[in-house]
Amino acid sequence: MQTSMASIMICAVLCLCGCSSSDGTPVNSVAQGIYCGSFTATFGSTGSSSSSGSSSSSSSSSSGTSGSSSFCSGSDSSPVFFGMVQADGTAVFFTKQNSNLVLYAPAAVTAASFSLPVNAIGLNGSVVRTVAGGTDSGTLTGTVSSGGDLSGSIADNYGNNVDFAATANADTWARTSSLATVAGSYKASFSLGGTTYAPTLAIDSGGNITGTDSGGCSYGGAVTTPDTLHNDYNMKLTSSCLSGQTFSGIGAYFPAGLSNPNGILSPAELKVGLSNGTASGIYLNLSLGN
């Protein structure tokens, strides 16, 4: 990836329907939760490693997310790391330094120590290894501390490596989920294949998604709540303009009034990372409309 690649999203797409043990009971991941923290360096420079070589634990205090009134904040010089791990180990993480995003697809994070293969997918047309919407691969390695925090590193197959550290935000994760909570009309914008789409999407009380955009595209899909005890949502999305592809992913809901990097969040947002499997990805920051 180029040094201009300054934001990362890591999303488990191998277990979206819920992993189960041999007796059919859901796997309860020790890492489940919502996290905020930072990376120690920019991931994705071409050529030699971009790791700072410092301990990842030194960055964990930058999240500022101990209270229920805030979530991840950061800047270009101190990049934010946002993470979410469902009870079955399905995980999504990203960092924002500039505006680009990259989707990763590890297997489920179920153990306190993990080392998983990942495939990077350029989200919203972001550049991966000099290609807009390109791909990369590597390894995600990490541990969950006794206090529930995450730390570890991401290394690609081209010698790039960065550490990360993230503090669990128990208040945000403990917020219950429901279809009634996310029902409403949302606006979003994303790019794919060099085209920018700006749909208005409606989520009804049953979780069904319908929508259109000014370019004549129609949208469909569904939102589900795999874990109603936590701030946890699954989404599937299709579009008449995306060659019948189905994009699937996970995300969380953030009500208006929360502190965020741009001030006080208004209106509410549903943040979701979606992938069609191994080739394309979309990051949706759905903003609740009037």
Side-chain angles (χ1 to χ4, degrees):
M1 301 180 201
Q2 294 179 326
T3 53
S4 61
M5 169 45 56
S7 298
I8 303 171
M9 176 173 280
I10 308 162
C11 180
V13 296
L14 305 182
C15 233
L16 284 176
C17 295
C19 301
S20 299
S21 61
S22 58
D23 62 2
T25 58
V27 173
N28 190 29
S29 171
V30 296
Q32 65 172 299
I34 288 178
Y35 302 87
C36 292
S38 66
F39 283 98
T40 58
T42 299
F43 181 74
S45 63
T46 55
S48 62
S49 170
S50 60
S51 172
S52 66
S54 61
S55 170
S56 61
S57 61
S58 63
S59 301
S60 61
S61 62
S62 66
S63 60
T65 58
S66 59
S68 59
S69 63
S70 65
F71 65 101
C72 300
S73 61
S75 65
D76 288 357
S77 59
S78 180
V80 63
F81 173 95
F82 170 77
M84 178 178 171
V85 183
Q86 295 178 320
D88 65 5
T90 302
V92 58
F93 306 98
F94 69 90
T95 182
K96 181 173 182 180
Q97 289 170 277
N98 292 318
S99 60
N100 296 324
L101 294 157
V102 175
L103 180 71
Y104 276 79
V109 179
T110 55
S113 296
F114 52 90
S115 182
L116 307 169
V118 291
N119 295 310
I121 305 171
L123 287 182
N124 296 355
S126 57
V127 175
V128 181
R129 298 209 61 78
T130 73
V131 178
T135 62
D136 194 4
S137 60
T139 303
L140 169 70
T141 302
T143 59
V144 185
S145 72
S146 58
D149 298 337
L150 290 180
S151 62
S153 64
I154 303 169
D156 73 3
N157 293 333
Y158 298 90
N160 302 301
N161 185 83
V162 295
D163 296 332
F164 67 86
T167 302
N169 189 330
D171 291 324
T172 301
W173 177 240
R175 191 177 294 120
T176 59
S177 60
S178 72
L179 296 179
T181 298
V182 296
S185 178
Y186 295 84
K187 295 181 178 180
S189 178
F190 66 91
S191 297
L192 201 64
T195 301
T196 297
Y197 303 89
T200 295
L201 301 176
I203 302 174
D204 68 19
S205 59
N208 299 301
I209 299 173
T210 56
T212 58
D213 63 28
S214 59
C217 305
S218 60
Y219 297 80
V223 174
T224 57
T225 53
D227 179 3
T228 57
L229 296 178
H230 298 105
N231 186 7
D232 183 9
Y233 296 89
N234 284 349
M235 178 182 283
K236 290 188 176 181
L237 186 70
T238 62
S239 170
S240 62
C241 294
L242 298 178
S243 305
Q245 301 175 69
T246 297
F247 290 81
S248 302
I250 67 175
Y253 179 81
F254 297 88
L258 295 182
S259 174
N260 72 81
N262 299 314
I264 302 300
L265 183 66
S266 179
E269 294 178 350
L270 178 61
K271 300 174 183 290
V272 187
L274 304 172
S275 169
N276 67 355
T278 59
S280 298
I282 299 171
Y283 172 67
L284 284 180
N285 189 59
L286 294 163
S287 179
L288 188 63
N290 296 323

